[in-house]
Amino acid sequence: MQTVLEGNDLQTAIPLKENGFPKAVSLHYMSVSTQTVLEAPEADALAVFMHVEELASERFEIVFGQVEENSLDCPELQGMFTAQEALEGCYRQDVHAPAHWYLVRCEGEDAGVLLLAPHPESNNWELMYMGLVPAWRGRGLGIHVVNEAIHRAREAGMEEVILAVDERNTPARQLYEQFGFRSRLSCVVHAWMQKSEKPQETL
């Protein structure tokens, strides 16, 4: 279970901590105009985006799990959920899911995932989740993925793209800031966390 507070709401944070809801992560909520385009490295021209419905669910879950390996986003939650459980949580957050979910491929390899969530009532799309498998990190592919997210939102007539990022995830924040994403709100997530235990098998 979790609750989200604005970063300066210290009064509410105290009883949460005292009752088993410690601080889990600080998030920066950021946004950028859909008119933004950043030149991507030439090698990324080979990247393609396959819609999740074109894939076996197991394949998408495998890549999603690989993306979470050594991720700097919310490391406290790593190992708390299986890839399937984490994706089910994403389903619950987006009424349009998975209409805009993609497997990122580059040079014939499964390289990452991109999950977008449209919010037409607010005239924006949310970059809900993106990530690369360890072998494709640090190679410039992230620029192409963010460009794709902004392009799809622009094609849908939206004015901006929004996202939330762990304040400790410096590489991700630097990538977004290259595009001109600017923080518009900081929040703190407090959570009660307990790994679910599988029942022991009886002999």
Side-chain angles (χ1 to χ4, degrees), residues 76-109:
E76 294 82 2
L77 298 180
Q78 289 182 22
M80 296 291 296
F81 309 101
T82 65
Q84 183 181 35
E85 290 169 338
L87 283 169
E88 287 173 355
C90 293
Y91 271 101
R92 289 192 291 269
Q93 293 178 54
D94 176 16
V95 297
H96 303 283
H100 304 282
W101 291 11
Y102 303 92
L103 176 73
V104 183
R105 287 181 55 76
C106 195
E107 297 181 2
E109 299 179 6

Side-chain angles (χ1 to χ4, degrees), residues 2-142:
Q2 67 180 33
T3 185
V4 181
L5 306 179
E6 289 194 21
N8 58 1
D9 189 356
L10 302 179
Q11 278 192 315
T12 308
I14 293 173
L16 285 172
K17 293 177 182 178
E18 291 174 346
N19 289 278
F21 282 75
K23 173 184 172 182
V25 60
S26 293
L27 297 175
H28 289 301
Y29 289 83
M30 309 179 79
S31 64
V32 74
S33 166
T34 54
Q35 300 307 308
T36 301
V37 178
L38 191 64
E39 184 175 350
E42 195 171 314
D44 289 348
L46 299 177
V48 295
F49 295 80
M50 294 182 62
H51 194 275
V52 66
E53 292 183 351
E54 300 176 42
L55 312 165
S57 59
E58 294 82 3
R59 179 177 173 186
F60 196 72
E61 288 172 13
I62 288 171
V63 178
F64 191 92
Q66 292 172 340
V67 165
E68 293 201 316
E69 291 178 18
N70 300 317
S71 170
L72 298 179
D73 266 330
C74 307
E76 294 82 2
L77 298 180
Q78 289 182 22
M80 296 291 296
F81 309 101
T82 65
Q84 183 181 35
E85 290 169 338
L87 283 169
E88 287 173 355
C90 293
Y91 271 101
R92 289 192 291 269
Q93 293 178 54
D94 176 16
V95 297
H96 303 283
H100 304 282
W101 291 11
Y102 303 92
L103 176 73
V104 183
R105 287 181 55 76
C106 195
E107 297 181 2
E109 299 179 6
D110 292 347
V113 297
L114 171 63
L115 278 59
L116 301 169
H119 302 299
E121 70 285 354
S122 302
N123 207 22
N124 65 46
W125 275 25
E126 179 183 357
L127 201 170
M128 177 187 290
Y129 188 87
M130 66 157 281
L132 302 174
V133 302
W136 277 97
R137 293 172 189 163
R139 299 169 63 177
L141 184 57

Side-chain angles (χ1 to χ4, degrees), residues 35-41 143-144 147 150 175 177-180:
Q35 300 307 308
T36 301
V37 178
L38 191 64
E39 184 175 350
I143 293 176
H144 193 84
N147 267 337
I150 294 173
L175 171 63
E177 288 167 358
Q178 284 185 65
F179 281 87

